[in-house]
Amino acid sequence: MKKSSFAKICFGLSLLFYVFTVSCVKSPASPDSDGKTSGTIENTSQFSHYDDKAIADESNTSEWLAYGRTHSETRFSPLKDINMENVDQLKVDWFVDLPMDVGLVSTPLVVDGVMYFTGTMNIVRAVNAVTGELLWTYDPKVGEAIKGKRQVGWVHNRGISFYKGKIYAATWDGRLFALDHKTGEKIWEVVTFDPNRSLYITGAPKAFAGKVLIGNGGTEEGPTRGWVTAYDAETGEEAWKFYIVPGNPADGFENETMEMAAKTWTGEWWKHGGGGNAWHGFTYDAELDVLYIGTGNGSPWNRKIRSPEGGDNLFLCSIVALNPNTGEYLWHYQTTPGETWDYNSNMDIVLTDLEIEGKTVKALLHAPKNGFFYVINRETGKLISAEPFVETTWASKIDLETGKPVEVPGSRYETDRAVITPNPWGAHSWHAMSYNPQTGLTYIPTLHSAVGFSDEGIDLETWQAKEFEGGVGVNMDFDPRDNPRKYPASLTAWDPVKQELAWSIPQETFWNGGTLTTASNLLLQGRSDGKLLAYDAKTGEVLWTKNLGLGISSPPITYKINGKQYVSVLVGFGGGYAAIGGQEAYELGWSYKTHVRRLVTFSLEGSGEMPDLPPPHFPKPLVDPDWKIDKDLASRGAQEIGKCTGCHGWGVYSAGMAPDLRASSIPLEFSSFKDIVKEGSRNALGMPAFPDMSDEQLEALQHYIRNRAKETLPEYEELMKKKDLASN
Ligand code: CA
């Protein structure tokens, strides 16, 4: 059984030896039919009509104005030009190569003929949505911002916001900025957290009601108390701040809401921060003028440490409804009271009206990590229904009277190791789900996984996370014998009214992209195996498959300009699993910098011309027979490698977010290794510095990496044989 301190999996993030650039390669796109650039950009003052009403307009088909298309976040487009009869004729219309990008996980926006998107290192680009021609690039110079600092988190980001002529984006290092949509010039910028804290941003800011909101991630990186801040969309001035969990009562509570929340905590939770970080899942309800935020898991995960006498621990793992103008608390629904499994509720929050028992209900749909699908009345916050959409071994059901889960005894690893499904990857992560009001179905990129939890050997009374050292207060192991899954992922069509599965398609690879659905009852999804598929949204029948030659993590979007419907998707395997997925993720073959990242746009009239990418590539572990591995040093290196895992991969298997250290020549040579790791010589390229690291620690890391290369070489050779057989 492979036993691992999960403290090291996600956290102590580090080395990304990568290079980034601001240049786009111009695509060989065909010019617009009338020869004009349809993406003529007017100045911001003429764009004040892009307000909440415009962003909430479901009938707008020429644009994609918000992260989930409109304020409702349904990712349902009324377009029908591409339909079940012709979708098999979709062809590449234009594409943009992004040679210096790595993980691409974001949703592009389309406004008045221009497509805006964020890429690696939070670089924002504007391209003509008809031709792909690059209009401007804005580089927030994240490398400079992290210079000389230890840094946690990731180089990818899930999106941007557009509001009244301004583009809003956030950076890894915690800045939020507004750009003039016409020129890409910065209008304002704010620092949203102390840069010396072990926090980061990977989420899309949410613009609404004259504000722009952002939270942060980092619950696993150190003792952290989550919060969100809303800024004035025009000026960047702070409008309000909402803390997600209470602080130390001795310091006084910020408001009555925190005083109320504190009653659900025990012990000295504030020493651990409490957690709840809101890194994703912000929805503005333009109809009710309410903001909903999805909140994160506990800091640390193990409630026995965080809140030893129990308690629900508000507002962890909740949907919290706030007054968008003041940030005042309105109501909450907690999906996982007293969470202890990393079951955050940061997943997307989708708004629609449902007919339930003859009544129209203003509903909110939510499928968080914990495996249950929730339908909530968004006027009252009252739970309407909840059923599991995957196997859930931690809870048997949700009691509709109390609104709380009925937990399975033992699942809190009270006395023994507990095998729990879903595991911390969740039954559903940030990969967007979509809702089609015509089929009445929600389409969820679903994950199937299990884990063994135990806190044996952890001193619960003295355990304390340290900033940048991280930790979650529980051990995890992944014994395949515990794993109930027949397949690692599926595409799930879920009926929110009946609360039952309509259909499901098993998938052979983990971590597939978000979904898009249209009025012609199409459903589109990109997968981690590099394929983009179109399905019949009613039945799940596959109608079209295009192999794009590189894992897809972003959700597709659609829009129509000059009478032509387009489908666009960013192609670039990314996100947490691409960083720390280990051997399984490595075996997808999307190795660092082998496959150029792309923005690809399809239409029915496209030329279809786009060069193929190289086949999957598997970096070969370098074994130098003259390099004598010291076993003691190697085992000391095993204690240090957690700092590198967050980007270079679990078990030192890289899945493309950073170089595979087993195959890199740099760790072979001490001085260049030290230069990069300790001195930060590749800081500007995104590789954080580790200034506190001693020569001995560095040497131990070298020995550990060499040992991993040696250990994994036979398995690499096996893999090559398997691939050879498969291709013959
Ligand atoms: Ca988490």
Side-chain angles (χ1 to χ4, degrees):
M1 182 165 58
K2 193 159 77 180
K3 207 155 195 186
S4 57
S5 157
F6 197 65
K8 290 187 186 139
I9 294 197
C10 301
F11 321 119
L13 296 189
S14 67
L15 324 197
L16 8 160
F17 290 98
Y18 73 61
V19 184
F20 69 95
T21 184
V22 295
S23 70
C24 272
V25 169
K26 235 194 239 178
S27 77
S30 53
D32 205 350
S33 53
D34 58 6
K36 273 191 278 178
T37 307
S38 52
T40 309
I41 309 181
E42 304 299 332
N43 67 41
T44 54
S45 61
Q46 288 166 274
F47 273 66
S48 57
H49 58 285
Y50 283 93
D51 55 8
D52 291 289
K53 193 162 166 258
I55 299 169
D57 179 5
E58 298 291 338
S59 69
N60 179 354
T61 54
S62 59
E63 300 173 303
W64 185 287
L65 294 182
Y67 181 73
R69 201 183 90 87
T70 60
H71 271 325
S72 71
E73 306 289 329
T74 56
R75 293 177 183 263
F76 168 78
S77 168
L79 285 170
K80 292 180 176 176
D81 305 65
I82 300 169
N83 56 47
M84 281 193 261
E85 279 67 50
N86 62 23
V87 68
D88 61 348
Q89 290 152 48
L90 266 188
K91 289 187 187 69
V92 174
D93 195 298
W94 57 264
F95 68 96
V96 179
D97 275 350
L98 303 164
M100 294 311 185
D101 279 49
V102 283
L104 292 175
V105 296
S106 74
T107 299
L109 304 184
V110 176
V111 186
D112 193 42
V114 179
M115 186 179 294
Y116 302 93
F117 65 99
T118 179
T120 301
M121 295 295 265
N122 313 120
I123 292 171
V124 183
R125 297 178 177 95
V127 299
N128 182 315
V130 169
T131 65
E133 180 200 357
L134 180 67
L135 302 174
W136 55 254
T137 295
Y138 178 76
D139 179 2
K141 302 209 183 314
V142 170
E144 283 178 23
I146 64 166
K147 202 168 175 60
K149 289 175 191 159
R150 290 176 72 181
Q151 191 68 33
V152 294
W154 288 304
V155 298
H156 54 248
N157 185 282
R158 290 181 296 277
I160 55 178
S161 251
F162 186 92
Y163 195 80
K164 296 188 179 180
K166 293 187 185 69
I167 302 285
Y168 302 94
T171 61
W172 178 17
D173 55 281
R175 288 169 290 151
L176 172 71
F177 56 86
L179 302 177
D180 182 308
H181 77 112
K182 181 183 180 185
T183 60
E185 273 166 47
K186 190 165 76 185
I187 297 170
W188 56 257
E189 179 176 274
V190 291
V191 176
T192 71
F193 57 73
D194 176 350
N196 297 313
R197 294 285 319 279
S198 53
L199 298 170
Y200 56 88
I201 297 176
T202 51
K206 178 72 191 167
F208 58 90
K211 312 277 190 300
V212 55
L213 181 96
I214 195 71
N216 52 62
T219 324
E220 287 80 10
E221 311 292 348
T224 292
R225 181 187 181 197
W227 80 94
V228 290
T229 313
Y231 298 87
D232 184 290
E234 276 299 307
T235 65
E237 201 181 318
E238 185 175 316
W240 54 258
K241 186 183 251 190
F242 178 80
Y243 282 103
I244 292 161
V245 298
N248 185 348
D251 300 335
F253 296 111
E254 287 84 2
N255 49 48
E256 284 175 8
T257 306
M258 285 298 105
E259 195 174 349
M260 177 260 275
K263 295 192 173 89
T264 65
W265 291 77
T266 58
E268 297 178 308
W269 70 86
W270 56 89
K271 291 186 175 167
H272 301 286
N277 296 60
W279 51 266
H280 190 74
F282 310 132
T283 296
Y284 174 64
D285 188 330
E287 195 183 352
L288 303 180
D289 192 28
V290 173
L291 176 73
Y292 311 104
I293 61 164
T295 68
N297 52 275
S299 170
W301 296 358
N302 192 341
R303 188 181 64 171
K304 289 180 230 171
I305 295 170
R306 190 180 73 228
S307 186
E309 304 303 316
D312 286 351
N313 295 180
L314 294 174
F315 296 100
L316 296 183
C317 307
S318 302
I319 289 173
V320 184
L322 300 173
N323 178 323
N325 304 305
T326 62
E328 282 169 293
Y329 164 88
L330 299 173
W331 56 256
H332 77 276
Y333 176 78
Q334 189 174 39
T335 57
T336 312
E339 92 89 15
T340 201
W341 310 275
D342 189 27
Y343 280 166
N344 58 60
S345 243
N346 301 108
M347 288 69 232
D348 35 12
I349 297 167
V350 174
L351 311 182
T352 190
D353 290 353
L354 295 179
E355 291 297 316
I356 299 175
E357 291 170 356
K359 284 190 196 133
T360 303
V361 176
K362 298 215 168 298
L364 176 160
L365 314 179
H366 185 53
K369 274 188 179 179
N370 77 13
F372 286 87
F373 189 98
Y374 296 84
V375 178
I376 293 165
N377 181 324
R378 64 183 207 261
E379 289 182 301
T380 62
K382 195 172 161 13
L383 177 69
I384 295 169
S385 60
E387 291 294 335
F389 64 98
V390 295
E391 185 182 10
T392 54
T393 63
W394 69 281
S396 56
K397 63 169 189 174
I398 308 297
D399 181 330
L400 294 184
E401 286 300 309
T402 61
K404 291 188 176 189
V406 178
E407 288 180 19
V408 174
S411 57
R412 288 182 177 272
Y413 39 96
E414 293 92 328
T415 49
D416 289 313
R417 171 178 176 268
V419 177
I420 296 294
T421 178
N423 81 11
W425 287 116
H428 171 219
S429 190
W430 50 264
H431 303 99
M433 67 180 191
S434 58
Y435 172 72
N436 186 325
Q438 293 181 180
T439 62
L441 301 177
T442 311
Y443 303 99
I444 313 165
T446 305
L447 303 172
H448 304 273
S449 63
V451 66
F453 275 121
S454 159
D455 54 20
E456 203 192 326
I458 296 176
D459 184 341
L460 302 174
E461 279 173 26
T462 60
W463 190 95
Q464 176 68 47
K466 284 197 197 101
E467 198 108 21
F468 290 102
E469 297 291 328
V472 297
V474 61
N475 300 314
M476 305 202 349
D477 63 77
F478 300 88
D479 186 335
R481 288 169 298 183
D482 293 327
N483 205 329
R485 61 190 190 172
K486 292 190 188 72
Y487 38 85
S490 56
L491 176 57
T492 301
W494 187 264
D495 185 327
V497 175
K498 293 183 189 154
Q499 280 284 20
E500 65 179 31
L501 186 72
W503 53 261
S504 162
I505 296 174
Q507 296 172 322
E508 287 174 12
T509 58
F510 200 68
W511 205 249
N512 299 306
T515 62
L516 161 71
T517 185
T518 71
S520 52
N521 287 346
L522 285 178
L523 173 66
L524 288 105
Q525 184 193 29
R527 299 194 310 211
S528 57
D529 65 359
K531 289 177 181 153
L532 179 65
L533 291 97
Y535 301 87
D536 178 335
K538 277 190 190 153
T539 64
E541 185 195 342
V542 176
L543 302 171
W544 174 73
T545 304
K546 171 78 181 172
N547 188 349
L548 293 173
L550 172 63
I552 303 165
S553 301
S554 290
I557 64 161
T558 189
Y559 58 97
K560 184 173 173 176
I561 296 174
N562 300 337
K564 191 160 150 189
Q565 185 184 351
Y566 298 89
V567 170
S568 288
V569 68
L570 282 158
V571 183
F573 190 50
Y577 179 74
I580 58 173
Q583 185 178 4
E584 189 185 79
Y586 163 84
E587 290 187 1
L588 288 165
W590 313 131
S591 65
Y592 180 69
K593 297 277 175 156
T594 309
H595 307 87
V596 68
R597 275 53 179 159
R598 280 172 168 165
L599 168 61
V600 184
T601 296
F602 299 86
S603 75
L604 293 171
E605 295 137 55
S607 69
E609 285 165 32
M610 183 170 73
D612 284 341
L613 294 179
H617 173 70
F618 310 90
K620 183 181 181 181
L622 275 174
V623 175
D624 178 350
D626 295 336
W627 219 99
K628 295 282 171 262
I629 298 164
D630 181 312
K631 282 262 165 353
D632 284 346
L633 275 174
S635 65
R636 257 178 278 167
Q639 308 302 311
E640 304 293 337
I641 196 70
K643 298 183 175 80
C644 321
T645 297
C647 299
H648 291 281
W650 180 244
V652 209
Y653 295 101
S654 165
M657 293 282 280
D660 195 305
L661 297 177
R662 299 170 304 148
S664 165
S665 60
I666 288 165
L668 283 169
E669 206 278 303
F670 186 79
S671 65
S672 48
F673 189 58
K674 180 177 177 178
D675 199 38
I676 292 169
V677 180
K678 186 180 167 80
E679 313 299 340
S681 67
R682 293 198 182 172
N683 229 167
L685 309 175
M687 166 67 196
F690 293 82
D692 301 335
M693 217 176 242
S694 67
D695 281 4
E696 204 212 344
Q697 281 172 307
L698 287 163
E699 213 189 323
L701 264 179
Q702 278 188 295
H703 283 264
Y704 179 74
I705 292 164
R706 293 277 59 83
N707 196 44
R708 284 298 292 152
K710 195 177 159 198
E711 277 174 352
T712 55
L713 184 62
E715 136 203 320
Y716 166 84
E717 281 161 355
E718 269 308 297
L719 178 71
M720 289 304 103
K721 268 189 226 156
K722 248 187 356 198
K723 300 280 169 198
D724 265 3
L725 280 176
S727 64
N728 287 337

